[in-house]
Amino acid sequence: MFASMGYAVKFVSVTNGDAGHQTEGGGALAKRRMAEAKEAGKRFGVEYDVLDNHDGELTPTLEVRLQIIRKIREWNADVVIAPRPNDYHPDHRYTGVLVQDAAYMVAVPNVAPDTPPLKKNPVFLYFQDNFQRPNPFRPDVVIDITSVWDKKVYAMAAHQSQFFEWLPWIGGYAAQVPTTSVDRLAWLSKRLAEPITDEILKSLEKWYGKERAANVKYAEPFEICEYGARPGTDEIKRLFPMLGK
Amino acid sequence: MFASMGYAVKFVSVTNGDAGHQTEGGGALAKRRMAEAKEAGKRFGVEYDVLDNHDGELTPTLEVRLQIIRKIREWNADVVIAPRPNDYHPDHRYTGVLVQDAAYMVAVPNVAPDTPPLKKNPVFLYFQDNFQRPNPFRPDVVIDITSVWDKKVYAMAAHQSQFFEWLPWIGGYAAQVPTTSVDRLAWLSKRLAEPITDEILKSLEKWYGKERAANVKYAEPFEICEYGARPGTDEIKRLFPMLGK
Amino acid sequence: MFASMGYAVKFVSVTNGDAGHQTEGGGALAKRRMAEAKEAGKRFGVEYDVLDNHDGELTPTLEVRLQIIRKIREWNADVVIAPRPNDYHPDHRYTGVLVQDAAYMVAVPNVAPDTPPLKKNPVFLYFQDNFQRPNPFRPDVVIDITSVWDKKVYAMAAHQSQFFEWLPWIGGYAAQVPTTSVDRLAWLSKRLAEPITDEILKSLEKWYGKERAANVKYAEPFEICEYGARPGTDEIKRLFPMLGK
Amino acid sequence: MFASMGYAVKFVSVTNGDAGHQTEGGGALAKRRMAEAKEAGKRFGVEYDVLDNHDGELTPTLEVRLQIIRKIREWNADVVIAPRPNDYHPDHRYTGVLVQDAAYMVAVPNVAPDTPPLKKNPVFLYFQDNFQRPNPFRPDVVIDITSVWDKKVYAMAAHQSQFFEWLPWIGGYAAQVPTTSVDRLAWLSKRLAEPITDEILKSLEKWYGKERAANVKYAEPFEICEYGARPGTDEIKRLFPMLGK
Amino acid sequence: MFASMGYAVKFVSVTNGDAGHQTEGGGALAKRRMAEAKEAGKRFGVEYDVLDNHDGELTPTLEVRLQIIRKIREWNADVVIAPRPNDYHPDHRYTGVLVQDAAYMVAVPNVAPDTPPLKKNPVFLYFQDNFQRPNPFRPDVVIDITSVWDKKVYAMAAHQSQFFEWLPWIGGYAAQVPTTSVDRLAWLSKRLAEPITDEILKSLEKWYGKERAANVKYAEPFEICEYGARPGTDEIKRLFPMLGK
Amino acid sequence: MFASMGYAVKFVSVTNGDAGHQTEGGGALAKRRMAEAKEAGKRFGVEYDVLDNHDGELTPTLEVRLQIIRKIREWNADVVIAPRPNDYHPDHRYTGVLVQDAAYMVAVPNVAPDTPPLKKNPVFLYFQDNFQRPNPFRPDVVIDITSVWDKKVYAMAAHQSQFFEWLPWIGGYAAQVPTTSVDRLAWLSKRLAEPITDEILKSLEKWYGKERAANVKYAEPFEICEYGARPGTDEIKRLFPMLGK
């Protein structure tokens, strides 16, 4: 969405994906994953970096925290998005912890002194998830992505080994994966679509007004992390210009 | 309870218990603890394994996570039970974290490739505790253990150095420990008994009906962890056949 | 407050502060910070220790946990106060985790056997913070510090490099820092003052009665940590004699 | 050689081999390697265990040391053979360090208390290598393996992905690998054969007498590690009964 | 020398130098050191990279090994030079270990799969040192650097905080450091000059012939590390074209 | 010897001895060991500190290095003595490494900034051992301890659990340990006595002259470590005044 509006966007994978597959693995798989990520980045029109940490072995070490701090700084990020520290996959949970631990420190000059610090703490957002404990996700900001949904699905589809091989296998629905590219896009679109819950609708109405909110088919909700900058309404509108004013 | 119904059950202690004692310690204590665990296993009619990690020094490392993943896989577990990551003892909290981190990964073939992965993610349950922050324990499933209570107490009593020496000492009630075996069983029964709270009663009524629930004297409540398989009512009844249908 | 009533109080900084500054750093900064801490201790009339761990690099290791266990034991502490494991700075969050992990273990003789264990688990308290997730701070006990407020501000002002240099710089309000000592005290007093919220007022009323509570200008609220001793009302009054009876 | 004389022999690979290949990797490669190791074990008539540590990432940690201590104890080993801590591959060097660090500790009861300690420190031997710094390998004991050489080559050939794929690729001689099994055995025999140096010959003469020594075509030399038991001549003859008397 | 012949040379500092100074430290010092390194690189006509690891805290971890592997690969190095694992400073010793551990692995594709492996193992050389235990440095190759000596001294002099502040202070000869730039160069030239020992002379004669060897005033000797490629005489002459033929 | 001449001497045990015993262990054993160390210190007339690190688990971490740096600094040591990094026990080897890694760093102000650095690098010595690889011990300095031998034996005998229980058990000579104190002293004297080898005699002659050297019955040889200060003959005589002049 941002990318389609001309903003500079960077995706970062905190692990190299060298474990999440049923028949491949190691550096060979990591290289396939990296190529898929580069293709996804091309389709999105964004940069896509991969940190070379083992998949399935992420722990919240200082080393990885510093990798993340440098990536955020090099990008001079205004907004950083990460999973919450609760998710079904430990790598995702620890990515959440690591990004929390990078917040604020990105502005401290004596930390990672080889990379100039940010002038100010960015806004840190959490991706949506459905976990309830210790507390559920809260859709503080919701973006209408209806107009770019197909593009998003197409870009995500570049992660072939992930969406058409590994996740269906581990999820027990490998038999459902279509064989043609066209069918796969339609199928992936259905899998990725999340329902517009009442809570999300309410947030959409807040940001877009009742009328437009009613017409949103695909939405991307975010929760504002308390450890980053805490933007007020105006600041949120400045950061997310697609919200209108 | 499971064991008495003919199911295969395995207990695993994540540490070797080599620190929790007022006068003994180290390998000597670990060996005593292991013998007590084996005896408890015999009384319960279950297997009882001890992972050789220092007591009081558990941290959520990849090494211990992999130990736990292998144990769960070797047992081909349908259900895994662990403490929540909040408890008075850091080893218990980190056991909770470690078991969470083992969930899902037990089904990933490239993780611990020396041990065949599970076909599917088991159900992960939390033991009951009374901690309220960040959120209290929730008795999703409660098992009536009235009929096996005495057997449970007898089996637990095999952990002599724990229940009759260390815990009374550190808890300041060493003077209350009776001297004869018979008195100790009665005393331990009282110590281990947890009240049937309103919330637990409600869950018992859900699973057993009002009538039987009213007669339950001893109950074992569990919370379903969000990172394992999420069983519906039918699946829960299949996994816990003692619940009746 | 305690100190002014003749109680023995010790402050411990878990890191050496060698990173939090815009132009200085390393051992040179650590030494300046230590001198400031000693001066603050003198003004408070308390001991002030600094653990020599890198600032901005704290992780919840066993090594640091043991450092903290020894400090608590050497002091024979009745009450231990720490940040909650949620705060904007990762060092503060992990201090919260580390102190939680020290609770209970301070009484276990086989842990850190070079330092005699405490006879009983102290009361562990959390400092106030404003973070809401996963759950907000709860002012279980609130102390009226109106009478010692000026003294507290004066003592805190000893942390010059912190309050008049680093925090204003990173917070973007360096231009507001006054130049004279007198003006700095007045300015710091305003910065440090926290509003008496309704919830804090209610707690003040519980402990001091309505009348006195209404006159409190400066208060220090604490939440009781569940992993330490859980004091009842009488025990709290014994531990905090300033609460009256 | 030992195996062919009816002695119980166990091979242990300290890593799972999941990195050493030009096109495969991860758990998938580890499983292939494990199958090859089992086949090699079968051909040798020995047990062959694989410790599930990442290939190319071995460091001399306490965790791996304890794995090795348990293996040595479970096998009740009289003799343990390992690379010297100098070799071209860091995993080999650290295996040397780890086995040195396991020596003596295998007899200490409080170390790895879940596994009964050995009654006495075994003899630790180093495999031959050609590194000169800081000091060259010394052939303290040399075994005439002429009679079992073909069997050894056949057993080693079970490590297909190692000897016919990876090592030729990384060594730049992939083009020389023959295609038929028979040719591969002949080719591997030549590659594995090490010259009988003057120093080795001298040691052979010491243990076998001049006459037999002169007829040895294939020999396996070992250096006695100073951290294990230090066998005298008689003890060496008892441990290596093929040496004659 | 190489640089002056038009070869591409890169210097890498494995730590950021944030500790080695008597009055400065941390990120502030690291930044000064980095600027000095860049200036030195400019004077030498080479690239100069600094790895952001704490000075005085280097240990041979996998993380730093991988940093070094990536640097060697990115540079597509033919020759890598490092200290031996014996030296007065632990950071130097562990740099020696780390570079040894990077040798060979730079050619393994599954290691650091984000960076294309080298086609072949480079030649690894050790810098000269005077330590005798466990074995002395051996000048396998010696380069006549007489013609570039002044340039080298001038380039080294860019490390101001090192050569004119820190090393004189810790070495107890701070009073001898001259004040003007010109005097400092002359003084540094004397400090950096190492005598041409008999052993070095012999090596010079081998590579340059007796006549030229006799006229060498400044020489740079290297020992060939056994874990890298082992160049023969011709290969050495190809790698060091200044040796003549 | 030093102590009996009025010099201030401190012994430091780098581990707490909580593993080296056949029937005891953990904190309980550590406390017994600490009491024995204090008693030994009293008999020697020296301070005796124990660092609380697990016995049998020492690795050369930064944390333990810093503990050792602080001990050396607090004592303002002129001479530091440690085992060589080759010895039968991994804890001894890593103590050798750790003390080497503390050398020089004890004088660096930014390392462990909470403890004032030494003005100069002390002399580091190695204790005698009999290991030959990679190079044998070299008796650079040998002290005649004949006159204090009985006192030394008496002081060592304070390590009861070590010399009369553990070492005899693990060494297989438990049956030889006498029962009375007097007999034990005589027996220990014999066990601790090391022969005056030709090499030691030569060193004795160098330092004491032929005549006195011939009468030495008990000697303590040391090797000078290359990473500490390198004393000349005069400096050695100043540091070891018992050598005469």
Side-chain angles (χ1 to χ4, degrees):
Chain A
M1 184 73 191
F2 270 103
S4 71
M5 293 181 67
Y7 287 82
V9 176
K10 165 171 259 174
F11 290 178
V12 176
S13 171
V14 178
T15 70
N16 65 12
D18 65 355
H21 201 275
Q22 63 273 39
T23 56
E24 304 173 21
L29 177 58
K31 269 177 282 190
R32 189 176 168 208
R33 287 269 151 89
M34 209 181 316
E36 293 176 348
K38 294 297 172 199
E39 172 64 21
K42 227 172 72 185
R43 295 182 184 184
F44 271 121
V46 307
E47 279 201 36
Y48 204 135
D49 284 2
V50 176
L51 299 178
D52 192 31
N53 300 303
H54 280 312
D55 186 13
E57 302 191 1
L58 196 68
T59 52
T61 62
L62 207 54
E63 281 80 16
V64 184
R65 191 202 294 181
L66 288 167
Q67 292 174 7
I68 292 173
I69 286 173
R70 287 193 182 92
K71 283 289 166 197
I72 295 174
R73 288 178 174 180
E74 284 161 13
W75 198 246
N76 198 2
D78 289 314
V79 174
V80 176
I81 312 181
R84 292 200 304 156
N86 25 327
D87 189 292
Y88 76 96
H89 194 304
D91 283 0
H92 302 185
R93 291 198 292 274
Y94 290 124
T95 297
V97 170
L98 284 160
V99 174
Q100 286 182 353
D101 292 353
Y104 181 76
M105 303 317 268
V106 292
V108 176
N110 274 328
V111 168
D114 61 344
T115 315
L118 294 188
K119 291 259 159 54
K120 55 190 198 44
N121 205 3
V123 172
F124 286 80
L125 301 177
Y126 295 123
F127 289 115
Q128 182 183 19
D129 65 71
N130 294 307
F131 296 91
Q132 303 298 312
R133 311 226 106 191
N135 59 294
F137 172 84
R138 187 185 60 205
D140 292 324
V141 182
V142 184
I143 308 295
D144 175 6
I145 57 166
T146 310
S147 68
V148 293
W149 177 255
D150 287 346
K151 186 169 181 186
K152 177 177 167 172
V153 171
Y154 172 64
M156 297 295 264
H159 292 288
Q160 274 203 33
S161 64
Q162 187 85 353
F163 286 115
F164 305 128
E165 299 174 18
W166 167 240
L167 291 177
W169 184 87
I170 186 86
Y173 55 90
Q176 304 167 18
V177 181
T179 47
T180 71
S181 301
V182 175
D183 290 353
R184 284 185 163 191
L185 283 182
W187 175 85
L188 185 62
S189 175
K190 270 189 207 135
R191 283 212 68 85
L192 292 176
E194 290 278 347
I196 310 280
T197 64
D198 286 357
E199 220 192 348
I200 291 173
L201 184 61
K202 225 155 85 185
S203 186
L204 277 169
E205 289 172 349
K206 173 180 169 190
W207 294 108
Y208 288 96
K210 284 222 162 189
E211 201 172 349
R212 171 143 177 208
N215 289 311
V216 171
K217 278 188 63 182
Y218 301 101
E220 201 137 76
F222 301 106
E223 176 175 334
I224 297 170
C225 165
E226 296 183 299
Y227 305 148
R230 314 256 201 115
T233 302
D234 287 354
E235 176 67 3
I236 289 175
K237 287 192 171 165
R238 200 189 61 73
L239 288 167
F240 298 88
M242 60 287 268
L243 291 174
K245 350 162 212 175
Chain B
M1 185 73 192
F2 271 103
S4 71
M5 292 181 67
Y7 287 82
V9 176
K10 164 172 259 174
F11 289 178
V12 176
S13 172
V14 178
T15 70
N16 66 12
D18 65 356
H21 201 275
Q22 63 274 38
T23 54
E24 305 172 20
L29 178 57
K31 269 177 282 189
R32 188 175 168 208
R33 287 269 153 90
M34 208 181 317
E36 293 176 348
K38 294 296 173 200
E39 171 64 20
K42 230 172 70 186
R43 294 183 184 183
F44 271 122
V46 308
E47 279 200 36
Y48 203 136
D49 284 2
V50 177
L51 299 178
D52 193 30
N53 300 302
H54 279 312
D55 187 12
E57 300 190 3
L58 196 69
T59 53
T61 62
L62 207 54
E63 282 79 16
V64 184
R65 189 202 295 181
L66 289 167
Q67 291 174 8
I68 292 174
I69 286 174
R70 287 192 182 94
K71 282 289 166 197
I72 295 174
R73 287 177 174 182
E74 285 162 14
W75 197 246
N76 198 2
D78 289 313
V79 175
V80 176
I81 311 181
R84 293 200 305 155
N86 24 327
D87 189 293
Y88 75 98
H89 194 303
D91 283 0
H92 301 185
R93 292 198 291 276
Y94 290 124
T95 297
V97 170
L98 284 160
V99 173
Q100 285 182 352
D101 291 354
Y104 182 77
M105 304 317 267
V106 291
V108 176
N110 273 329
V111 169
D114 59 346
T115 314
L118 293 189
K119 292 259 159 51
K120 55 191 198 41
N121 206 3
V123 172
F124 286 79
L125 301 177
Y126 295 124
F127 289 113
Q128 183 184 19
D129 65 71
N130 295 307
F131 296 91
Q132 303 298 311
R133 311 225 107 192
N135 59 293
F137 172 85
R138 189 186 59 206
D140 293 324
V141 182
V142 184
I143 308 295
D144 174 6
I145 57 166
T146 311
S147 67
V148 293
W149 176 254
D150 287 346
K151 186 172 180 183
K152 176 177 167 171
V153 171
Y154 173 64
M156 297 294 264
H159 292 288
Q160 273 203 35
S161 64
Q162 187 85 354
F163 287 115
F164 305 128
E165 299 174 18
W166 167 240
L167 291 177
W169 184 88
I170 187 87
Y173 55 89
Q176 304 169 17
V177 181
T179 45
T180 71
S181 300
V182 175
D183 290 353
R184 283 184 166 193
L185 284 182
W187 175 85
L188 186 62
S189 175
K190 270 190 207 134
R191 283 211 70 84
L192 292 176
E194 290 279 345
I196 310 281
T197 64
D198 287 357
E199 221 192 348
I200 291 173
L201 184 61
K202 226 154 89 185
S203 187
L204 277 170
E205 289 173 349
K206 174 181 168 188
W207 294 108
Y208 287 97
K210 284 222 162 189
E211 201 172 349
R212 170 143 177 207
N215 290 310
V216 171
K217 280 188 61 183
Y218 300 101
E220 200 137 75
F222 301 104
E223 177 175 334
I224 297 170
C225 164
E226 296 184 298
Y227 305 147
R230 313 257 201 115
T233 302
D234 287 353
E235 176 66 3
I236 289 174
K237 288 193 169 163
R238 200 188 62 71
L239 288 167
F240 299 89
M242 59 288 268
L243 291 174
K245 9 181 189 152
Chain C
M1 185 72 192
F2 270 103
S4 70
M5 293 180 68
Y7 288 83
V9 176
K10 164 172 260 174
F11 290 179
V12 176
S13 172
V14 178
T15 71
N16 66 13
D18 65 355
H21 201 274
Q22 62 274 39
T23 55
E24 305 173 20
L29 178 58
K31 269 177 281 191
R32 190 178 167 205
R33 287 269 152 89
M34 210 182 316
E36 293 176 349
K38 295 297 174 200
E39 171 63 21
K42 229 173 70 186
R43 294 183 184 184
F44 271 122
V46 308
E47 279 200 36
Y48 203 136
D49 283 3
V50 176
L51 299 178
D52 193 29
N53 301 302
H54 280 313
D55 187 13
E57 301 190 2
L58 196 69
T59 52
T61 62
L62 207 53
E63 282 79 16
V64 185
R65 189 202 295 180
L66 288 167
Q67 292 174 6
I68 292 174
I69 286 173
R70 287 192 182 93
K71 282 289 167 198
I72 295 174
R73 288 178 174 180
E74 285 162 13
W75 198 247
N76 199 3
D78 288 314
V79 175
V80 176
I81 311 181
R84 292 200 305 155
N86 24 328
D87 190 293
Y88 76 97
H89 195 304
D91 284 0
H92 301 185
R93 291 199 290 277
Y94 290 124
T95 298
V97 171
L98 284 160
V99 174
Q100 286 182 352
D101 291 354
Y104 181 76
M105 303 318 266
V106 291
V108 176
N110 274 329
V111 168
D114 60 345
T115 314
L118 293 189
K119 292 259 159 54
K120 56 192 196 42
N121 205 5
V123 172
F124 286 79
L125 301 177
Y126 295 124
F127 288 115
Q128 183 184 19
D129 65 71
N130 295 307
F131 297 90
Q132 303 298 312
R133 311 226 107 191
N135 58 294
F137 173 83
R138 189 186 58 206
D140 293 324
V141 183
V142 184
I143 308 295
D144 174 6
I145 58 167
T146 310
S147 68
V148 293
W149 178 254
D150 287 345
K151 187 171 181 186
K152 176 176 167 172
V153 171
Y154 172 65
M156 297 295 264
H159 293 287
Q160 274 203 34
S161 64
Q162 187 84 352
F163 287 114
F164 305 128
E165 300 173 18
W166 167 241
L167 292 177
W169 184 89
I170 187 87
Y173 55 89
Q176 304 168 16
V177 181
T179 46
T180 70
S181 300
V182 175
D183 290 354
R184 283 186 164 191
L185 283 182
W187 176 84
L188 186 61
S189 175
K190 269 190 207 135
R191 282 212 70 84
L192 292 176
E194 291 278 346
I196 309 280
T197 64
D198 286 358
E199 221 192 347
I200 291 174
L201 183 61
K202 226 155 87 186
S203 187
L204 277 169
E205 289 173 348
K206 174 180 169 188
W207 295 108
Y208 287 97
K210 284 220 163 190
E211 201 172 349
R212 171 146 177 205
N215 290 310
V216 171
K217 279 188 63 182
Y218 300 102
E220 200 137 76
F222 301 105
E223 176 175 334
I224 297 170
C225 164
E226 297 184 299
Y227 304 148
R230 315 255 201 115
T233 302
D234 287 353
E235 176 67 3
I236 289 175
K237 288 193 171 163
R238 199 189 61 73
L239 288 167
F240 299 89
M242 61 287 267
L243 291 173
K245 18 188 181 150
Chain D
M1 184 72 191
F2 269 103
S4 70
M5 292 180 67
Y7 286 82
V9 176
K10 164 171 260 174
F11 289 0
V12 176
S13 171
V14 178
T15 71
N16 65 13
D18 65 355
H21 200 274
Q22 63 273 39
T23 55
E24 305 173 22
L29 178 57
K31 270 178 281 190
R32 190 177 167 207
R33 287 269 153 89
M34 209 182 316
E36 293 175 349
K38 294 296 173 201
E39 171 63 21
K42 228 173 72 186
R43 294 182 184 185
F44 271 122
V46 307
E47 278 200 37
Y48 203 136
D49 283 2
V50 177
L51 298 179
D52 193 30
N53 301 302
H54 280 312
D55 187 13
E57 302 190 1
L58 196 67
T59 51
T61 62
L62 206 54
E63 282 79 16
V64 184
R65 188 202 295 180
L66 289 167
Q67 292 173 8
I68 292 172
I69 286 174
R70 288 193 182 93
K71 282 289 167 199
I72 295 174
R73 287 179 174 179
E74 285 161 14
W75 198 247
N76 199 3
D78 289 314
V79 174
V80 176
I81 311 180
R84 291 201 305 156
N86 24 326
D87 190 293
Y88 76 97
H89 194 304
D91 284 359
H92 302 184
R93 292 198 290 276
Y94 290 124
T95 297
V97 172
L98 284 160
V99 173
Q100 286 182 352
D101 291 352
Y104 181 77
M105 302 318 266
V106 293
V108 176
N110 274 329
V111 169
D114 60 345
T115 314
L118 294 189
K119 292 260 159 52
K120 56 191 197 44
N121 205 5
V123 172
F124 286 80
L125 301 176
Y126 296 123
F127 288 114
Q128 182 184 19
D129 64 72
N130 294 308
F131 297 91
Q132 302 298 311
R133 312 226 106 192
N135 59 293
F137 172 85
R138 189 185 59 205
D140 293 323
V141 182
V142 184
I143 308 295
D144 174 6
I145 57 166
T146 311
S147 67
V148 292
W149 177 255
D150 287 346
K151 187 171 180 186
K152 176 176 167 172
V153 172
Y154 172 65
M156 295 297 263
H159 293 288
Q160 273 204 34
S161 63
Q162 188 83 353
F163 286 113
F164 304 127
E165 300 173 18
W166 168 240
L167 292 177
W169 184 89
I170 187 85
Y173 55 89
Q176 304 168 16
V177 180
T179 45
T180 70
S181 300
V182 174
D183 290 353
R184 285 185 163 190
L185 283 183
W187 175 86
L188 186 62
S189 175
K190 269 188 210 138
R191 282 211 72 83
L192 292 177
E194 292 278 346
I196 310 280
T197 64
D198 287 357
E199 222 193 347
I200 290 174
L201 184 61
K202 225 157 85 187
S203 187
L204 277 169
E205 289 172 349
K206 174 181 169 190
W207 294 109
Y208 287 97
K210 283 220 164 192
E211 199 172 350
R212 170 143 178 207
N215 290 311
V216 171
K217 280 187 61 182
Y218 301 102
E220 200 138 75
F222 302 104
E223 176 175 335
I224 297 171
C225 165
E226 296 183 299
Y227 304 148
R230 314 255 201 115
T233 302
D234 288 352
E235 176 66 4
I236 290 175
K237 288 194 170 162
R238 200 189 62 73
L239 288 167
F240 299 88
M242 60 288 267
L243 291 173
K245 17 190 178 137
Chain E
M1 185 73 193
F2 270 104
S4 70
M5 293 180 67
Y7 287 81
V9 176
K10 164 172 260 175
F11 289 179
V12 176
S13 171
V14 178
T15 70
N16 66 12
D18 65 355
H21 201 275
Q22 63 274 38
T23 56
E24 306 173 21
L29 178 58
K31 269 176 283 190
R32 189 176 168 208
R33 288 268 153 90
M34 209 180 317
E36 293 176 348
K38 295 296 174 199
E39 172 63 20
K42 230 172 68 185
R43 295 183 183 183
F44 271 121
V46 308
E47 280 200 36
Y48 204 136
D49 284 2
V50 177
L51 299 178
D52 193 30
N53 301 303
H54 280 312
D55 187 12
E57 302 190 1
L58 196 69
T59 53
T61 63
L62 206 53
E63 282 79 16
V64 184
R65 189 203 295 181
L66 288 167
Q67 292 174 8
I68 292 173
I69 287 174
R70 287 192 182 93
K71 283 289 166 198
I72 295 174
R73 289 177 173 180
E74 285 161 15
W75 197 247
N76 198 3
D78 288 314
V79 174
V80 176
I81 312 181
R84 291 201 305 156
N86 24 327
D87 189 292
Y88 76 97
H89 194 303
D91 284 0
H92 301 184
R93 292 198 291 276
Y94 290 124
T95 296
V97 171
L98 284 159
V99 173
Q100 286 182 351
D101 292 353
Y104 181 76
M105 303 318 267
V106 293
V108 176
N110 274 329
V111 169
D114 60 345
T115 314
L118 294 188
K119 291 259 159 53
K120 55 191 199 42
N121 205 4
V123 172
F124 286 79
L125 301 177
Y126 296 122
F127 289 114
Q128 183 183 19
D129 64 72
N130 295 308
F131 296 91
Q132 302 299 311
R133 311 227 106 192
N135 59 295
F137 172 85
R138 188 186 59 206
D140 293 323
V141 183
V142 184
I143 309 295
D144 173 6
I145 58 167
T146 311
S147 67
V148 294
W149 177 255
D150 287 346
K151 187 172 180 184
K152 177 178 166 170
V153 171
Y154 172 65
M156 296 296 264
H159 294 287
Q160 274 203 34
S161 64
Q162 187 85 353
F163 287 114
F164 304 129
E165 300 174 16
W166 167 240
L167 291 177
W169 183 89
I170 187 86
Y173 55 90
Q176 304 168 17
V177 180
T179 45
T180 72
S181 301
V182 175
D183 291 352
R184 284 185 164 191
L185 283 182
W187 175 84
L188 186 62
S189 176
K190 269 188 209 135
R191 284 211 69 84
L192 292 175
E194 291 277 346
I196 309 281
T197 64
D198 287 357
E199 220 192 347
I200 291 173
L201 184 60
K202 225 155 87 185
S203 188
L204 278 169
E205 289 173 348
K206 174 180 170 190
W207 294 108
Y208 287 96
K210 283 220 163 190
E211 199 172 349
R212 171 145 177 206
N215 291 309
V216 172
K217 279 188 62 183
Y218 301 101
E220 200 138 78
F222 302 105
E223 176 174 335
I224 297 171
C225 164
E226 296 183 299
Y227 305 148
R230 315 255 200 115
T233 302
D234 287 353
E235 176 67 3
I236 289 174
K237 288 192 171 165
R238 201 189 60 72
L239 288 167
F240 299 88
M242 59 287 267
L243 291 174
K245 10 179 191 160
Chain F
M1 186 72 191
F2 270 103
S4 72
M5 292 181 67
Y7 287 82
V9 176
K10 165 172 257 173
F11 290 178
V12 176
S13 171
V14 179
T15 70
N16 65 13
D18 65 355
H21 201 274
Q22 62 273 39
T23 55
E24 305 172 21
L29 178 58
K31 270 176 281 189
R32 188 175 168 208
R33 288 267 153 90
M34 208 182 315
E36 293 175 349
K38 294 296 172 200
E39 171 63 20
K42 229 172 70 185
R43 295 183 184 183
F44 271 122
V46 308
E47 278 200 37
Y48 203 137
D49 284 1
V50 177
L51 299 178
D52 193 30
N53 300 302
H54 280 312
D55 186 13
E57 302 191 1
L58 196 69
T59 53
T61 63
L62 207 53
E63 281 80 15
V64 184
R65 188 202 296 180
L66 288 168
Q67 292 174 7
I68 292 173
I69 286 174
R70 288 193 182 92
K71 283 289 167 198
I72 295 173
R73 288 178 173 180
E74 285 161 13
W75 198 246
N76 198 2
D78 288 313
V79 175
V80 176
I81 312 180
R84 292 201 305 155
N86 24 327
D87 190 292
Y88 76 96
H89 194 304
D91 284 0
H92 302 185
R93 291 199 291 276
Y94 290 124
T95 296
V97 171
L98 284 160
V99 174
Q100 285 182 353
D101 291 354
Y104 181 77
M105 304 317 267
V106 292
V108 176
N110 274 328
V111 168
D114 60 345
T115 314
L118 294 189
K119 292 258 159 54
K120 56 190 197 44
N121 205 4
V123 172
F124 287 79
L125 301 177
Y126 296 123
F127 289 114
Q128 182 184 20
D129 64 72
N130 295 307
F131 296 91
Q132 302 299 313
R133 311 227 108 191
N135 59 294
F137 172 85
R138 189 186 59 207
D140 294 324
V141 183
V142 184
I143 308 295
D144 174 5
I145 56 167
T146 311
S147 67
V148 292
W149 177 255
D150 287 345
K151 186 170 181 186
K152 176 178 167 172
V153 171
Y154 172 65
M156 297 295 264
H159 293 288
Q160 273 203 33
S161 63
Q162 188 85 352
F163 287 114
F164 304 128
E165 299 174 18
W166 167 240
L167 291 177
W169 184 88
I170 187 86
Y173 55 89
Q176 305 168 15
V177 180
T179 45
T180 71
S181 300
V182 175
D183 291 353
R184 284 185 165 191
L185 283 182
W187 175 85
L188 186 61
S189 176
K190 270 188 208 135
R191 284 212 69 84
L192 292 176
E194 292 277 347
I196 309 281
T197 64
D198 286 357
E199 221 191 348
I200 291 174
L201 183 61
K202 225 154 89 186
S203 187
L204 278 169
E205 290 171 350
K206 173 180 170 192
W207 294 108
Y208 287 96
K210 282 221 164 191
E211 199 173 348
R212 170 145 178 206
N215 290 310
V216 171
K217 279 189 62 183
Y218 300 102
E220 200 137 75
F222 301 105
E223 176 174 335
I224 297 170
C225 165
E226 296 183 299
Y227 305 148
R230 314 255 200 115
T233 302
D234 287 352
E235 175 68 2
I236 290 174
K237 288 193 171 165
R238 200 189 60 74
L239 287 167
F240 299 87
M242 59 288 267
L243 291 173
K245 2 173 199 164

